Amino acid sequence: MSPGRGAQADGWLRAMPVVFVLIWSTGFIVARYAMPHAPPLKYLAVRYALSAVALCLWARAGAAVWPRSRTQVLHLAITGVLMQAGYLGGVWAAVKAGMGSGLVALLVGIQPVLTALWLAMHGGRVTARQWVGLLLGFAGLALVVWRKLGQGGEVNALTMSLAVLALLSITVGTLYQKRFVAPCDVRTASAVQQIAALAVTLPLALWLEAQPIVWNAESIGAMAWSVLALTLGGNSLLYLLIQRGTATAVTSLLYLVPPCTAVMAWLLFGEPITALTVAGIALTAVGVGLVVRQR
């Protein structure tokens, strides 16, 4: 590799976390556009189907290598069910059932702490500096979404169960992928994950949801962004980050998603950003920096 190409590749690797956070943060923005026009599981089933087709075409165009062993395919399918069907299905269904997006974000934002606790309990090494960063990140996250809490009717057995399902799914899925999924082409790996998520979500959507999807400019635009940016871009970056980094460092990046979403909502929808939001964003950035900073 020439020095120029080496520097370009190194710059892209450093930019990957930033690009991932920006793309991943648009998930709640897309939900705001799509939720009034579609039930969550049917919307996600269409998204998984279109994403699988797009990834297969991308893999074919680039002559990507598919996983060769059944074991590897099984591991990828399990991560797809957990990190796609379980996580996204839980979040979207909880919001549809009445839980505010701020409260869902706060509950799912506990994931880095659960990941660190799991690693510490099973012989993993989480330094004192990383623990401080995780706690600071969670405190900053709480400040950002605090103004959205306490709204009546949000919390009941159903909404809490769905939010906890999303939290456990993304946590277990991240740890499982880091432990069992061997490095392979991100295009074919993501395609297997999307197909597995579709296989689980579609029967549930047909069984549980009678409301049809209303296709209009907002729902079509949200679907296009979900497939092209969130799946092909965000999910692929998450896969690469998990393969290249530690589970604690990667999941700590998710602390930055709610603050970034708050900024996007302010720019696009005029939602106010309070002094607590600004303080939370700064505190979260410091916490993530402590977790991911190399010695």
Side-chain angles (χ1 to χ4, degrees):
M1 181 179 293
S2 65
R5 289 187 177 181
Q8 184 179 9
D10 187 57
W12 165 240
L13 290 176
R14 287 196 299 267
M16 279 174 57
V18 177
V19 176
F20 165 73
V21 170
L22 291 175
I23 293 177
W24 204 259
S25 298
T26 63
F28 286 103
I29 303 299
V30 167
R32 174 160 180 172
Y33 279 113
M35 282 296 285
H37 312 292
L41 297 183
K42 282 184 180 177
Y43 173 87
L44 290 173
V46 175
R47 169 180 168 174
Y48 299 146
L50 294 176
S51 298
V53 172
L55 286 164
C56 288
L57 293 175
W58 187 16
R60 180 179 178 85
V65 178
W66 288 84
R68 300 184 183 279
S69 69
R70 293 182 179 179
T71 301
Q72 181 72 339
V73 172
L74 177 61
H75 288 324
L76 286 169
I78 291 173
T79 60
V81 171
L82 290 170
M83 301 177 70
Q84 298 296 319
Y87 169 63
L88 291 177
V91 168
W92 279 67
V95 173
K96 189 71 171 181
M99 179 173 281
S101 59
L103 184 54
V104 174
L106 178 60
L107 292 172
V108 178
I110 303 174
Q111 183 208 349
V113 177
L114 293 184
T115 302
L117 287 173
W118 175 269
L119 294 175
M121 291 170 59
H122 292 79
R125 184 172 181 270
V126 182
T127 66
R129 171 177 54 80
Q130 288 179 315
W131 277 115
V132 172
L134 287 167
L135 294 175
L136 288 176
F138 182 73
L141 177 63
L143 286 176
V144 171
V145 300
W146 188 260
R147 64 183 177 86
K148 298 182 180 181
L149 301 181
Q151 298 177 358
E154 285 188 275
V155 180
N156 54 53
L158 175 60
T159 57
M160 282 298 297
S161 297
L162 292 170
V164 171
L165 170 65
L167 169 62
L168 294 179
S169 295
I170 190 67
T171 303
V172 176
T174 301
L175 292 169
Y176 187 95
Q177 178 170 322
K178 186 62 179 177
R179 173 67 177 83
F180 293 106
V181 176
C184 57
D185 193 288
V186 66
R187 295 163 291 184
T188 55
S190 297
V192 173
Q193 291 175 331
Q194 297 298 316
I195 293 170
L198 175 63
V200 172
T201 303
L202 182 58
L204 292 175
L206 296 176
W207 179 38
L208 297 175
E209 297 176 341
Q211 176 188 352
I213 301 176
V214 178
W215 295 108
N216 53 32
E218 290 186 350
S219 59
I220 292 174
M223 181 64 70
W225 182 263
S226 295
V227 173
L228 298 177
L230 289 170
T231 299
L232 272 66
N235 287 336
S236 298
L237 285 172
L238 179 60
Y239 178 89
L240 292 173
L241 288 168
I242 292 173
Q243 291 296 320
R244 293 175 178 273
T246 65
T248 304
V250 173
T251 55
S252 68
L253 293 172
L254 298 180
Y255 270 148
L256 296 174
V257 171
C260 286
T261 303
V263 174
M264 291 180 182
W266 170 65
L267 292 173
L268 294 174
F269 307 121
E271 294 185 3
I273 295 182
T274 65
L276 285 179
T277 301
V278 176
I281 292 174
L283 194 59
T284 300
V286 172
V288 172
L290 290 175
V291 173
V292 303
R293 181 173 61 86
Q294 300 294 329
R295 288 185 178 275

